[in-house]
Amino acid sequence: MCRIAPNFLTIRGMRGRVRIDAQGRGAEGKGAWIIAGNDVTVENVEIFNTRVADKNGAALRIEGSNFTLKNSFLHDNENGVLTGASPTSRIVIENSEFGHNGDGSGQTHNVYVGDVASLTFRFNFSHDANIGHNLKSRARINTIIYNRFSSLAPGEKGSTAAGRPSFEIDLPNAGAAYVMGNIIEQPADNDNNTLLAYGNEASGANDMLYVMNNTFLNDDKRNGVFVRVHERVKARAHIQNNIFAGKGIITNQAGAVDKHNYAAMEVDFVDRANYVLVPTENAKIINAGAEPPMLPSGVALRPIMQYKHPASGMQRPAVGALDIGAYQAVIVEKSKKSWYEGLLK
């Protein structure tokens, strides 16, 4: 347990991922590693079992600015990553797994990013938060691309125990948010029927929500809201080229742009049980996507990658027109090995 103060530091696990068992403790009552320096990168570590007196302990507590996390596994802590507020800080999290973090109160999460300039969250696997959210971010700009958010069924074997998450993604301060190319699954056993929440606590002049080419799955047979936009948010959400599988409304925002989405109680995928969510032949999905808008900011909303399990990515095949959903279909003979075998759970 330690405080890490130097700036421009890279901490990298060598000869395999380094495993750090916090043994129910945390430095300074905050976390396993307190990152106090600026421009710090952490790579290839596994940290678990962090606990502190106020039940807000994090595997990585970020107090400096401009932090990057790569190729790591944070699980069974009170928080996975917890950052402070720093309006100039840029947070990048990629190729990492977060599982079963949270103390069970709903106030602690797999990843909790405070009021920072930007969060880039890509090629990650965040799952089974313990009552909290799989991702919560107050960043002013959120780029959430090519990730998988999901949970085990109770009793199912995985890298952690099954969790009971609230929101899969929570963006309570609204702001600019680009959510593209993700698998976003709400398990049947959940603590809230919303998958993506936006603006629950604040809104502002820079609000814009783009939800593009994701595959949403709601395993709760009772009800659900796939994209919930708080009534305080005046900007119209732009929701395009997504698959919405399961029971629920696409969004509660009456004025949202709802364009070229496909919603059904059941959707045929190559291997749903193993999250190979490549669509089978369906004219309403394959080649049915619409070209995304061109933004003055230059942010590209056409997916060029897709999630590969675990916590990785691959090029989205350049075949045909744009498909709806997080994956581009490549129809092959079932008897032959295919490109999508690499997506298996």
Side-chain angles (χ1 to χ4, degrees):
M1 308 305 101
C2 61
R3 168 175 285 269
I4 299 169
N7 299 327
F8 303 104
L9 181 69
T10 295
I11 304 170
R12 180 183 297 120
M14 304 297 289
R15 299 182 183 89
R17 184 175 286 168
V18 175
R19 299 183 78 243
I20 299 166
D21 183 353
Q23 299 182 337
R25 298 175 293 130
E28 301 177 20
K30 294 180 179 180
W33 287 2
I34 303 169
I35 309 295
N38 300 326
D39 299 283
V40 172
T41 297
V42 172
E43 299 183 36
N44 209 29
V45 300
E46 177 181 352
I47 304 176
F48 56 100
N49 199 22
T50 307
R51 303 283 185 274
V52 299
D54 69 0
K55 299 185 178 182
N56 200 34
L60 296 172
R61 178 75 170 259
I62 314 304
E63 295 184 348
S65 294
N66 304 332
F67 173 74
T68 298
L69 177 68
K70 299 180 179 181
N71 190 35
S72 294
F73 181 21
L74 308 181
H75 63 95
D76 296 288
N77 307 282
E78 289 170 331
N79 290 283
V81 171
L82 176 60
T83 86
S86 178
T88 62
S89 181
R90 298 179 300 277
I91 305 296
V92 177
I93 299 174
E94 58 188 10
N95 298 110
S96 294
E97 180 178 353
F98 306 89
H100 206 253
N101 298 288
D103 75 327
S105 68
Q107 303 301 310
T108 52
H109 314 284
N110 271 351
V111 178
Y112 187 0
V113 174
D115 181 12
V116 300
S118 66
L119 167 67
T120 300
F121 194 82
R122 61 193 172 207
F123 307 126
N124 300 299
F125 176 33
S126 186
H127 60 96
D128 293 290
N130 184 22
I131 305 300
H133 309 317
N134 281 329
L135 172 62
K136 180 171 184 173
S137 176
R138 299 183 185 276
R140 300 179 185 193
I141 301 174
N142 287 285
T143 303
I144 302 168
I145 53 177
Y146 315 125
N147 305 284
R148 172 175 153 185
F149 302 90
S150 67
S151 292
L152 299 165
E156 184 180 358
K157 185 178 179 181
S159 58
T160 70
R164 190 170 185 264
S166 184
F167 304 139
E168 300 302 313
I169 302 172
D170 183 25
L171 307 175
N173 289 19
Y178 311 98
V179 181
M180 180 174 70
N182 303 283
I183 299 104
I184 305 172
E185 180 235 8
Q186 180 83 298
D189 187 21
N190 60 72
D191 202 54
N192 193 294
N193 69 353
T194 294
L195 282 75
L196 166 58
Y198 181 79
N200 275 352
E201 299 179 30
S203 63
N206 296 322
D207 292 348
M208 59 182 79
L209 174 61
Y210 290 91
V211 182
M212 313 291 292
N213 278 98
N214 303 280
T215 295
F216 288 83
L217 308 171
N218 185 16
D219 294 336
D220 187 339
K221 303 301 183 184
R222 298 165 297 177
N223 51 36
V225 179
F226 290 102
V227 180
R228 184 183 294 277
V229 180
H230 196 277
E231 61 185 11
R232 68 167 53 86
V233 176
K234 303 308 178 187
R236 300 169 67 197
H238 190 107
I239 304 171
Q240 179 176 329
N241 295 344
N242 302 280
I243 292 174
F244 297 100
K247 189 170 184 177
I249 61 171
I250 291 178
T251 184
N252 65 310
Q253 189 186 49
V257 176
D258 178 354
K259 185 177 181 182
H260 288 260
N261 297 297
Y262 180 80
M265 282 297 296
E266 300 290 341
V267 177
D268 288 331
F269 298 108
V270 168
D271 188 348
R272 167 69 173 82
N274 287 301
Y275 289 90
V276 184
L277 301 177
V278 179
T280 59
E281 294 183 76
N282 184 330
K284 294 182 179 180
I285 296 176
I286 296 174
N287 298 330
E291 285 300 316
M294 301 290 290
L295 302 184
S297 65
V299 173
L301 297 176
R302 195 184 206 278
I304 59 172
M305 302 288 289
Q306 52 197 26
Y307 177 80
K308 179 180 179 181
H309 199 65
S312 185
M314 61 187 293
Q315 289 287 330
R316 186 172 175 121
V319 292
L322 184 63
D323 290 353
I324 291 172
Y327 291 105
Q328 190 79 9
V330 177
I331 305 303
V332 298
E333 294 181 27
K334 291 184 178 180
S335 61
K336 295 181 180 179
K337 289 187 178 296
S338 63
W339 67 273
Y340 55 70
E341 286 187 338
L343 300 173
L344 283 172
K345 183 177 177 182

